[in-house]
Amino acid sequence: MNGYFITFEGSEGCGKTTQIEALAKALEAQGKTVLITREPGGTLIGEKIRNLLQDPSHKNDISDMTELLLFSASRAELITSRIQPALARGEIVICDRFYDSTFVYQGLGRAIDMNIVEQLNQITVGTLKPDLTILLDLDAKIGIERAKSRQSGELDRIENESLAFFEAVRNGYLELAKKEPERFKTIDGLLSVDAIKKIIWDTVVNQF
């Protein structure tokens, strides 16, 4: 039995963590085995890379290309050590961000040549592709304000980027969703937590 791979995407403050936890709990209540993981991170090496990438003291120390390679390194480790084995066991994997984040954050936000981003993603990911991607869409300004409120005003290195950066990220996500409507489920991030939870559950429950 093959597993099922769900990814959650969206800009800062969109509520991914809350919805991932709710979905996993609902699936486990039905007897499903669920692996929750995240990018960057999810492994010992990946979490170290995450700390490096998010540390605001490194704001001017990490070049755009270095950032891209670090995200890719974390992803490669996560796929090999956790995602692929779980899917092979027939489990449901829920990942907080995956390669779509690289396309929009590094490809569009950082304006790195998209050919380079695509080639690196191909090397890192191979044929692995999410079965379903939940996109929580939210106005960039509202998202950053939510992130500030959640973290008592403290933002990490990437969250400290400009509003224009996050507007590019949001628009990039929406473009990806238009290109792959069979994979993406786009949900208004301004809806209530319970309303979003229901939409996600109605979407996921039909996949099994």
Side-chain angles (χ1 to χ4, degrees):
M1 173 182 166
N2 294 326
Y4 194 80
F5 187 22
I6 303 171
T7 57
F8 276 69
E9 299 285 355
S11 298
E12 272 60 30
C14 68
K16 291 185 283 79
T17 301
T18 298
Q19 294 299 333
I20 286 170
E21 291 173 353
L23 176 59
K25 185 176 180 180
L27 287 167
E28 288 170 344
Q30 288 204 339
K32 308 291 186 183
T33 301
V34 181
L35 169 68
I36 298 177
T37 191
R38 65 181 183 177
E39 281 203 358
T43 65
L44 178 62
I45 297 300
E47 290 298 324
K48 290 183 177 181
I49 292 173
R50 182 185 184 89
N51 290 337
L52 179 63
L53 284 166
Q54 292 189 339
D55 189 340
S57 69
H58 295 313
K59 180 172 176 57
N60 300 313
D61 300 333
I62 300 177
S63 72
D64 293 347
M65 186 58 67
T66 297
E67 180 181 278
L68 172 63
L69 292 169
L70 286 171
F71 272 108
S72 298
S74 176
R75 179 172 302 129
E77 183 71 11
L78 181 62
I79 290 171
T80 301
S81 65
R82 301 208 68 197
I83 294 177
Q84 287 180 329
L87 292 174
R89 293 191 298 266
E91 297 175 9
I92 299 172
V93 177
I94 303 178
C95 192
D96 185 345
R97 301 195 183 284
F98 197 54
Y99 60 63
D100 294 307
S101 286
T102 295
F103 279 114
V104 297
Y105 277 81
Q106 282 72 52
L108 297 176
R110 302 293 190 209
I112 296 176
D113 186 329
M114 197 61 77
N115 289 324
I116 294 174
V117 175
E118 289 177 351
Q119 289 173 10
L120 192 53
N121 266 338
Q122 181 60 40
I123 291 169
T124 306
V125 177
T127 60
L128 180 62
K129 184 178 182 178
D131 295 294
L132 171 67
T133 297
I134 304 293
L135 172 60
L136 299 181
D137 177 50
L138 189 64
D139 176 82
K141 187 174 182 180
I142 293 174
I144 290 301
E145 289 303 316
R146 282 187 180 181
K148 285 181 179 179
S149 174
R150 180 187 65 210
Q151 297 162 195
S152 302
E154 295 293 327
L155 298 177
D156 66 31
R157 189 182 69 87
I158 295 176
E159 289 171 340
N160 270 302
E161 288 296 335
S162 68
L163 181 60
F165 176 91
F166 289 111
E167 287 174 341
V169 164
R170 182 194 186 192
N171 290 334
Y173 272 131
L174 292 174
E175 283 301 313
L176 287 177
K178 286 180 183 178
K179 290 179 181 178
E180 294 189 67
E182 72 287 349
R183 174 165 69 91
F184 277 85
K185 176 64 177 180
T186 303
I187 302 173
D188 184 353
L190 287 177
L191 294 173
S192 70
V193 170
D194 286 341
I196 294 173
K197 188 187 305 182
K198 184 179 186 306
I199 293 170
I200 292 173
W201 181 247
D202 289 344
T203 301
V204 171
V205 75
N206 292 325
Q207 305 303 318
F208 307 107

